[in-house]
Amino acid sequence: MKQLRAIGVFSALVGLWGLLGPTGIIPASQAEPLKPSKTIKTEYQYSAKVACSLLLPHQDGTLARGTYRTTVNIHNPTDKKITVAAKVALATQFGSEPGPFGVTPFKEAVIQPDGAVGVNCFDIAGYFCPIDGVCVDFAFLEGFLVVKSPVPLDVVGVYTARHTDGDVESIDVEAIEPRKLKETVKIGAEEPSKPGGKRVDYPPKGSSAYGDKGPKQMCGGIAGFPCPEGKKCVDDPSDNCDPDRGGADCSGICVK
């Protein structure tokens, strides 16, 4: 798993710019106005590596074929409530155009004194829905979770991997060191709450990322991803989260 940290910018995310077309941004729904954003003053930055198999075991060749999961734990060691900001930066091919989804807007989180929060793969995928009226459904997502804070934090990345089926086979835990960087960050404006916009798959369906099987569409989870019209969300029996055995915010798959 330590190889995850060496992969850096060489990832399966090359071509997202081409997928969305040369115009880059797809217009957002105009159903209702966006709410104004806010700013947070920060002094510390943490960049945690992220590698997530979201729909099927990763198999396009950039990493060994298998299922990869990341959880980033963030602890507030102070005796005061704080607000932190986080965004996701995709890893793209070195020298390529980043495209409109290269870096997501910031989201904020309030952490209580001596409190902790966890950010898993499905939370990270939620950063890409919606952006400018578009949701991106990734088969595999690789990059960095960038956390900005006004105070020093305890930030730890937990990385697990396994073959296409079965229990966890590899685990790595890495403490993320801070970088002293004063910056005022803007929290992205909230998207319209009414339905609208567009969903795209990345990589596109039929690519090598799916092998010879049809892709599964993720639904549910902590972000509450919906299924397309005509399909319903059921528990995914291939993962390790069982809602009948205490699993909280389990993701599912869309079926007819």
Side-chain angles (χ1 to χ4, degrees):
M1 288 301 295
K2 292 187 182 294
Q3 291 181 344
L4 287 174
R5 300 191 298 274
I7 298 165
V9 298
F10 300 101
S11 75
L13 299 171
V14 180
L16 187 54
W17 176 264
L19 171 66
L20 297 178
T23 57
I25 300 298
I26 298 176
S29 169
Q30 298 300 315
E32 58 185 68
L34 302 182
K35 296 180 180 179
S37 61
K38 60 184 287 188
T39 59
I40 298 176
K41 292 183 178 180
T42 65
E43 294 191 20
Y44 298 88
Q45 175 178 297
Y46 300 81
S47 298
K49 180 63 186 172
V50 168
C52 296
S53 305
L54 293 167
L55 298 180
L56 285 175
H58 182 60
Q59 52 192 336
D60 74 350
T62 57
L63 291 177
R65 187 171 185 266
T67 299
Y68 297 84
R69 291 292 163 86
T70 298
T71 298
V72 179
N73 293 318
I74 304 168
H75 173 241
N76 170 19
T78 74
D79 58 359
K80 296 180 180 180
K81 181 172 66 176
I82 64 170
T83 300
V84 301
K87 65 182 178 181
V88 180
L90 292 179
T92 57
Q93 187 70 40
F94 187 81
S96 67
E97 292 289 341
F101 293 91
V103 181
T104 72
F106 278 101
K107 292 185 179 183
E108 67 175 322
V110 176
I111 308 179
Q112 299 299 321
D114 201 29
V117 297
V119 185
N120 62 38
C121 282
F122 301 107
D123 301 325
I124 292 164
Y127 276 75
F128 296 90
C129 183
I131 300 177
D132 295 300
V134 179
C135 293
V136 182
D137 295 324
F138 289 97
F140 182 79
L141 189 157
E142 186 187 0
F144 293 90
L145 178 72
V146 181
V147 180
K148 302 273 193 176
S149 170
V151 300
L153 302 171
D154 300 319
V155 179
V156 176
V158 181
Y159 307 95
T160 57
R162 61 179 172 86
H163 287 96
T164 55
D165 297 300
D167 297 328
V168 62
E169 295 175 324
S170 175
I171 183 170
D172 185 28
V173 178
E174 179 186 7
I176 312 301
E177 295 296 327
R179 176 180 288 109
K180 188 81 171 185
L181 184 62
K182 290 187 177 183
E183 185 178 3
T184 298
V185 300
K186 180 184 292 187
I187 304 302
E190 296 183 15
E191 294 281 344
S193 57
K194 294 182 180 180
K198 178 183 177 65
R199 299 190 77 95
V200 297
D201 296 298
Y202 189 81
K205 292 179 180 180
S207 76
S208 60
Y210 300 110
D212 57 358
K213 299 180 180 179
K216 296 186 295 184
Q217 181 172 352
M218 183 190 73
C219 59
I222 193 169
F225 291 115
C227 287
E229 185 176 353
K231 291 188 176 183
K232 62 180 180 179
C233 187
V234 301
D235 181 53
D236 185 354
S238 66
D239 64 22
N240 297 323
C241 188
D242 188 344
D244 295 328
R245 297 184 178 180
D249 299 317
C250 293
S251 64
I253 55 175
C254 296
V255 297
K256 291 184 179 180

